[in-house]
């Protein structure tokens, strides 16, 4: 299954541009999760809801690494868990990062 995660920091900001850069035009066959909250940590309702639904072999698309969060160490820890333990294929579109499920993240970067 395809999942898309979008995040902006404030309620006034627009999430739509983050869908425009996806490698597919139609998001009808995707589960789209969003947050309008700071990326200081992963305590965000949209993120937590999406995490509960992800399974091995799913594809997760995020516009750019900074949309995932602000703390590099927390982001790397989350990526490692998503890819290695959950088994998600992770695509950070704007940054051209594609990580294959089950692989050691450090070996791919």
């Amino acid at each position: 299954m395809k999942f898309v995660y979008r995040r902006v920091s404030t309620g006034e900001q627009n999430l739509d541009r983050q869908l425009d850069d996806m490698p597919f035009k139609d998001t009808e066959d995707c589960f789209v999760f969003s947050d309008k909250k700071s990326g200081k940590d992963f305590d965000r309702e949209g993120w937590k809801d999406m995490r509960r639904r992800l399974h091995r072999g799913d594809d997760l698309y995020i516009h750019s690494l900074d949309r995932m969060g602000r703390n590099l160490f927390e982001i790397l820890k989350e990526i490692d868990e998503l890819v290695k333990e959950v088994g998600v294929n992770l695509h950070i579109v704007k940054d051209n990062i594609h990580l294959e499920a089950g692989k050691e993240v450090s070996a791919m970067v």
Side-chain angles (χ1 to χ4, degrees):
M1 304 195 94
K2 280 194 278 192
F3 290 77
V4 174
Y5 178 75
R6 312 178 297 170
R7 184 190 65 78
V8 291
S9 298
T10 68
E12 297 82 37
Q13 293 175 303
N14 190 333
L15 290 161
D16 292 340
R17 76 169 182 86
Q18 294 178 38
L19 289 179
D20 294 341
D21 291 337
M22 290 296 125
F24 41 84
K25 295 301 176 202
D26 188 4
T27 56
E28 285 186 23
D29 63 339
C30 297
F31 293 100
V32 179
F33 295 87
S34 305
D35 282 305
K36 290 189 172 189
K37 189 173 180 182
S38 169
K40 68 181 177 94
D41 58 36
F42 286 96
D43 187 22
R44 296 173 250 148
E45 290 307 311
W47 183 265
K48 292 190 293 188
D49 187 23
M50 178 196 66
R51 282 291 311 252
R52 285 189 291 270
R53 297 168 189 252
L54 286 169
H55 293 93
R56 182 164 301 282
D58 288 340
D59 287 284
L60 172 58
Y61 294 85
I62 301 173
H63 176 264
S64 56
L65 199 57
D66 66 335
R67 298 301 84 206
M68 195 170 173
R70 292 286 179 210
N71 181 316
L72 181 59
F73 294 109
E74 290 297 315
I75 291 170
L76 292 174
K77 180 180 169 189
E78 190 72 10
I79 287 173
D80 190 59
E81 189 173 307
L82 285 169
V83 173
K84 192 167 70 175
E85 294 176 28
V86 178
V88 170
N89 298 303
L90 180 62
H91 310 276
I92 311 294
V93 178
K94 185 177 177 188
D95 301 316
N96 199 29
I97 298 170
H98 304 282
L99 303 174
E100 188 179 334
K103 302 283 182 158
E104 285 286 334
V105 173
S106 60
M108 294 185 283
V109 184

